[in-house]
Amino acid sequence: MKTIDLMYQTMLAELAQRSLDAAWTADFPPEGRFTPVTVKARRYWYFDIPDGHGGRARRYVGPADDPEISERVADFQVQRDDLRARRRLVSTLTREGGMIAPDKMSGDVVEALANGGLFRLRGVLIGTVAFQCYAGLLGVRLPMAAVLTGDADIAQDYAISHEVEDSLPPIVDLLQSVDPTFRPVPHRSGAAASSAFLSGSGYRVEFLTSNRGSDDYIDQPAKMPALGGAGADPLRFLDFLIRDPIRTILLHKSGVPVTVPAPERYAVHKLIVASRRRTDGQSAVKRDKDVRQAALLFEALQQTRRTSDLALVYNEAWERGAGWQEGIRAGAGMLTADERNRLRDCLQTGASEIGEEITVPFR
């Protein structure tokens, strides 16, 4: 696996910072002000802005104990936008640096959702569009065959959606600003809220959330007050995937600040997801892609000396019980012999570094 030159990795870090600065300035114009609010014994930042009619509109910013957010609140007045320079950086990183740009539809959809406030409201980009971000994050070149997609998957924690007291604009309006043919897909349960949206060309945007402890919720879309009228399908194992997500940049236009799962969580989660897919038709194709992406991330984590990160989250998943162990074993069994050996080496090296015992999921 070829590494990306340090110069380009440094450029990506600069682009991420500048894009986040620009997004922050757009979200929080100078005429507003930040206000701390305590909700259930925890402090959060909100932003109040005049509504033009003598009142104010309030939007959620994030936890007051997030040091990056607090620093930005302090530096609020000194942000600058440099759109053209950032576009040049994106072009250099994708054309010369070996990093991956999304297809135009994926990029435009994620940008529209980001501009609507998705990531400010702690949404997480998951699936292959998120996987595309890992080349820059890990500093390795990923093969194009593993990053092609025709959909975008978005997750948000159920409790967060109910607690932030803020919302995206109507999801269908955001998506139709990209392509007027986007329409809600009727839910299989017959529920009024849609969790998926489809364009005339077949591009699919789907919203997911963590399952709340019972399979009774699986076939019903969860009500998500922060998602602009969209519901979200509860999914087992999703809470593991979106725990402690990381900020990065999607290399589209001038750079779109996004939040994605940590790559080690993504890799372990893909093994479990692969084990639960059917073995026919499109499900088989998706299963093979899941396994391929997991294997690539195991290789990248080994090459970039992040095996301790992998060992920590692997043990976290393994210790959740028999169902999780069964999924990990079944997914790992789909790896090639060389890939299984690499995973074994990663886990054993990482376990040694963190001083923990670890159970390899195969003989």
Side-chain angles (χ1 to χ4, degrees):
M1 184 173 286
K2 294 183 178 179
T3 59
I4 292 173
D5 190 279
L6 181 60
M7 175 183 70
Y8 295 114
Q9 295 183 51
T10 303
M11 288 173 64
L12 179 70
E14 179 186 355
L15 173 67
Q17 183 67 48
R18 288 161 65 174
S19 296
L20 194 57
D21 289 344
W24 182 270
T25 301
D27 276 339
F28 307 113
E31 59 268 26
R33 66 185 181 90
F34 288 95
T35 303
V37 176
T38 300
V39 180
K40 295 184 179 179
R42 190 176 181 190
R43 284 168 61 85
Y44 297 89
W45 285 109
Y46 283 77
F47 188 74
D48 291 338
I49 186 169
D51 62 9
H53 304 287
R56 65 181 183 181
R58 173 165 287 185
R59 61 176 61 169
Y60 173 79
V61 179
D65 58 4
D66 184 321
E68 185 170 347
I69 288 177
S70 295
E71 181 180 352
R72 290 183 176 281
V73 170
D75 295 340
F76 171 51
Q77 299 294 342
V78 298
Q79 306 304 328
R80 296 289 185 269
D81 187 7
D82 53 351
L83 184 64
R84 290 184 179 179
R86 287 187 286 116
R87 281 183 179 267
R88 288 195 293 270
L89 278 174
V90 169
S91 178
T92 299
L93 291 169
T94 55
R95 293 184 181 181
E96 301 174 20
M99 298 184 192
I100 298 170
D103 64 273
K104 188 175 187 306
M105 176 64 90
S106 296
D108 287 346
V109 163
V110 174
E111 181 185 41
L113 294 173
N115 289 342
L118 174 68
F119 301 108
R120 174 174 58 82
L121 297 177
R122 298 167 73 181
V124 182
L125 180 65
I126 60 176
T128 297
V129 183
F131 181 82
Q132 295 170 351
C133 297
Y134 293 141
L137 271 172
L138 296 173
V140 296
R141 295 176 184 252
L142 298 172
M144 287 303 298
V147 301
L148 300 177
T149 187
D151 53 29
D153 295 325
I154 310 294
Q156 187 186 50
D157 181 78
Y158 178 84
I160 288 172
S161 194
H162 283 255
E163 291 175 4
V164 296
E165 298 182 356
D166 196 357
S167 178
L168 295 170
I171 287 292
V172 70
D173 291 351
L174 291 175
L175 296 177
Q176 287 180 353
S177 73
V178 175
D179 183 340
T181 67
F182 266 110
R183 58 176 178 80
V185 177
H187 198 269
R188 60 185 177 274
S189 68
S194 294
S195 59
F197 300 81
L198 193 68
S199 75
S201 64
Y203 193 92
R204 185 179 180 93
V205 180
E206 188 164 6
F207 293 88
L208 302 165
T209 192
S210 47
N211 188 33
R212 288 173 282 152
S214 169
D215 286 345
D216 293 343
Y217 296 104
I218 289 293
D219 289 328
Q220 294 287 333
K223 294 180 179 179
M224 306 290 285
L227 289 184
D233 275 338
L235 193 68
R236 285 191 68 196
F237 312 109
L238 188 68
D239 65 308
F240 169 84
L241 176 65
I242 63 176
R243 182 178 179 182
D244 301 325
I246 54 180
R247 294 187 180 102
T248 188
I249 199 80
L250 188 69
L251 294 175
H252 179 68
K253 294 183 179 177
S254 58
V256 181
V258 297
T259 305
V260 299
E264 59 273 12
R265 288 186 180 275
Y266 188 101
V268 173
H269 184 261
K270 280 298 178 184
L271 287 186
I272 299 171
V273 170
S275 74
R276 297 175 66 84
R277 294 199 191 274
R278 296 191 303 272
T279 58
D280 60 326
Q282 195 62 29
S283 290
V285 174
K286 290 182 177 180
R287 180 200 61 195
D288 292 345
K289 190 174 186 180
D290 290 339
V291 174
R292 177 62 171 152
Q293 289 183 354
L296 287 168
L297 287 178
F298 294 143
E299 182 178 356
L301 291 166
Q302 182 183 51
Q303 186 166 318
T304 55
R305 299 179 182 274
R306 302 186 189 203
T307 54
S308 59
D309 294 338
L310 176 62
L312 277 170
V313 300
Y314 175 90
N315 268 355
E316 178 189 330
W318 189 265
E319 291 167 2
R320 291 197 181 196
W324 289 70
Q325 294 169 14
E326 179 184 353
I328 293 170
R329 284 196 180 99
M334 300 177 195
L335 298 169
T336 67
D338 287 344
E339 291 166 349
R340 288 196 297 273
N341 288 335
R342 178 178 292 114
L343 176 57
R344 177 187 289 108
D345 290 345
C346 284
L347 294 176
Q348 291 175 342
T349 300
S352 175
E353 290 174 353
I354 63 177
E356 292 187 9
E357 296 293 326
I358 206 157
T359 302
V360 176
F362 38 73
R363 294 184 181 276

